[in-house]
Amino acid sequence: MTSTNLKISIDASAGSAAPYEQLRAQIADRARTGKLPAGFKLPTVRGLAEELGLAANTVAKAYRALEGDGVIETRGRHGTFVAASGEGPAREAAAAAQVFAERARRLGLTEAEALTAATDALRARYATG
């Protein structure tokens, strides 16, 4: 069973770790390595369960464990997202960058256009003299 969106694979063979633990470990690893960037919206519990052929309770258990570890955060009706890592300013900057990315996409900017806008703003703000 594989999730096309997240590239998650669940090994259902005997002797494998419990499916919720496989899911938890793979999402945590992808978040830690940046393959799932801060602010990445995860599928709904029901949606991911259907995609992987798992019970919704199995996915919910993995999500609860990940949330308890600070890897993901649930934002009510807005969904579940990969949490910003780090402390204080780094975490706040990652959250602000996510808001910018969402707004740029809604405005119809390409990734290159959004990156140019952000780079120009940073250069203007950090310019010396």
Side-chain angles (χ1 to χ4, degrees), residues 12-99:
S13 63
S16 299
Y20 94 90
E21 178 55 29
Q22 291 179 53
L23 180 59
R24 186 211 58 77
Q26 289 179 56
I27 291 174
D29 180 63
R30 282 169 178 70
R32 183 180 45 76
T33 61
K35 290 177 184 169
L36 290 177
F40 180 88
K41 185 174 183 178
L42 294 168
T44 64
V45 166
R46 186 170 288 135
L48 187 55
E50 288 176 13
E51 199 173 337
L52 292 171
L54 297 172
N57 285 341
T58 300
V59 175
K61 184 176 182 180
Y63 276 18
R64 281 192 305 273
L66 288 162
E67 191 163 23
D69 292 342
V71 175
I72 65 172
E73 58 190 12
T74 301
R75 300 179 192 163
R77 294 178 304 186
H78 299 288
T80 302
F81 299 83
V82 173
S85 60
E87 303 269 335
R91 188 178 186 107
E92 192 173 330
Q98 181 58 37
V99 169

